[in-house]
Amino acid sequence: MTPLELFAAGTVIPAHPLALTADRTLDERRQKAVGRYYAAAGAGGMAVGVHTTQFPIHDNGMLKPVLEIAMEAAREAKRPLAMVAGVQGDVTQAVREAAQARDLGYNLVLLRPAPGTDDEMIARAKAVSEVLPVVGFYLQSAVGGRVLSRDFWRRFAALDGVAGIKVAPFDRYRTLDVLNGVAQSGRADKVAMYTGNDNNIIGDLLSPYVLQSGSGTVELRFVGGLLGQFAAWTKRAVELLALVKRATAGDNAALRELMVLDGQLTDANAALFDVANNFHGCIAGINEILARQGLLGGRWCLDPHEDLSPGQAAEIDRVCAAYPHLTDDAFVAEHRDRWLR
């Protein structure tokens, strides 16, 4: 199976965080160790240069080395991985970043929403898709996203170069806008739907969406997850998607298990993503888990003011104690030293 076939079929794609030293320079050894962890955990790819990697790397010179390190880890895996590079900015910047990703061996680009009209965003997507297949990105407004209409998503999904969409508005109504737009695009069978709704991962993955299009009824499903939540406890995330596939194939025991896990995973995500403080500590929360496991040296973010919120560490303690079956601490402890070599 090629990386693009793997992406289309559906897989676990963690949003790759940024490994920093205490003085906020790139920690190359730990950056590679995290990529090795994802490959060893069974992830089907990695998304690099995205929100979890911290958007400022696109402007501070870190983007290329971070992309290169993740590709080195992917090549070590010696199996197909769908490698997704985040790109952003105006048409010129987005096309330039897409070309850089292509030259480094990436398979797809995740296109961050930009200012401008719908027409301008569609034109930008078309230009980028001439370099690499595009994955759309509905980013939630709390971390810099914008509201995008059902008609926008219809036009976006109709572009021949669109391979998928990461749906991450953290809003059921806006999620349905994307799904309805894709259903009406004429390319529903060619656009892989990935949940980025970290607050509803299992619900998205389990649900069939039966929608109307101009040519009749269309059924859509989320085939996988491209998620910040999957950046931690990744081995468990891979097992979770396998359980979803069993449940959707008719395994009632798997379905019952997932119904219990649904609320537990959302509760855990609320702690990691700092929902109580409007997601201020969402990147630091992911980094905190990886630092506790010894993969990162600390939870440092590029912005010194971006850190855990008051009370967030205690919430992370609580969910780790309440839901040890959601973690993969033992797996990381067994292999960490080898990944850090």
Side-chain angles (χ1 to χ4, degrees):
M1 187 179 290
T2 68
L4 288 178
E5 290 170 341
L6 177 60
F7 178 82
T11 189
V12 165
I13 301 180
H16 203 310
L18 181 65
L20 296 175
T21 64
D23 60 1
R24 292 180 166 80
T25 60
L26 180 61
D27 188 330
E28 296 185 3
R29 180 173 69 101
R30 292 185 181 277
Q31 190 73 26
K32 183 175 282 189
V34 174
R36 288 169 169 163
Y37 160 50
Y38 294 149
M46 305 175 211
V48 190
V50 296
H51 174 252
T52 303
T53 329
Q54 303 182 51
F55 288 139
I57 71 168
H58 290 261
D59 302 308
N60 70 1
M62 284 189 183
L63 179 62
K64 185 177 180 182
V66 167
L67 291 172
E68 288 174 332
I69 291 167
M71 276 304 303
E72 290 168 5
R75 290 190 176 108
E76 287 181 5
K78 294 182 170 39
R79 64 180 175 87
L81 290 171
M83 297 298 290
V84 183
V87 305
Q88 64 181 51
D90 61 14
V91 174
T92 301
Q93 178 182 347
V95 168
R96 181 178 69 248
E97 290 186 353
Q100 175 177 258
R102 177 200 60 203
D103 294 345
L104 292 173
Y106 281 75
N107 311 111
L108 307 109
V109 294
L110 182 70
L111 186 58
R112 181 184 178 188
T117 66
D118 283 4
D119 287 347
E120 289 168 338
M121 288 185 64
I122 294 294
R124 183 181 71 134
K126 187 174 187 301
V128 172
S129 74
E130 292 171 1
V131 181
L132 275 178
V134 165
V135 182
F137 188 6
Y138 202 168
L139 177 64
Q140 65 152 324
S141 56
V143 293
R146 54 181 286 187
V147 176
L148 296 164
S149 70
R150 186 171 298 193
D151 186 62
F152 170 82
W153 290 111
R154 177 189 62 79
R155 295 175 61 195
F156 184 91
L159 296 173
D160 288 339
V162 168
I165 300 174
K166 170 180 172 167
V167 186
F170 287 42
D171 183 301
R172 304 307 295 150
Y173 300 110
R174 293 175 184 173
T175 294
L176 287 167
D177 283 340
V178 184
L179 291 161
N180 276 285
V182 172
Q184 295 164 17
S185 71
R187 295 186 69 250
D189 60 334
K190 297 179 176 63
V191 180
M193 304 303 299
Y194 273 74
T195 181
N197 289 320
D198 302 76
N199 63 339
N200 193 50
I201 296 169
I202 292 174
D204 275 351
L205 291 172
L206 280 176
S207 299
Y209 295 88
V210 180
L211 307 162
Q212 296 303 312
S213 73
S215 57
T217 300
V218 173
E219 181 176 316
L220 288 175
R221 283 186 177 273
F222 286 97
V223 298
L226 198 168
L227 293 152
Q229 177 65 39
F230 285 177
W233 306 333
T234 309
K235 185 174 186 292
R236 185 58 177 134
V238 171
E239 294 165 354
L240 184 73
L241 183 59
L243 195 63
V244 167
K245 291 183 177 181
R246 283 171 44 196
T248 56
D251 185 331
N252 287 329
L255 179 59
R256 288 192 297 272
E257 183 178 349
L258 287 164
M259 291 174 70
V260 174
L261 291 173
D262 185 21
Q264 297 177 347
L265 183 59
T266 300
D267 189 28
N269 175 259
L272 269 62
F273 271 42
D274 193 25
V275 173
N277 296 285
N278 201 31
F279 303 95
H280 171 78
C282 61
I283 294 175
I286 296 166
N287 290 356
E288 174 70 7
I289 294 294
L290 296 173
R292 291 184 182 194
Q293 292 178 325
L295 283 167
L296 295 185
R299 61 175 182 260
W300 307 292
C301 297
L302 289 167
D303 181 349
H305 301 291
E306 190 169 354
D307 199 354
L308 297 182
S309 294
Q312 189 181 355
E315 273 295 283
I316 292 174
D317 291 341
R318 178 185 67 79
V319 299
C320 288
Y323 314 122
H325 52 284
L326 295 181
T327 75
D328 61 2
D329 295 352
F331 172 71
V332 174
E334 181 182 356
H335 301 285
R336 180 187 56 237
D337 291 346
R338 178 167 56 84
W339 299 331
L340 283 164
R341 70 180 186 276

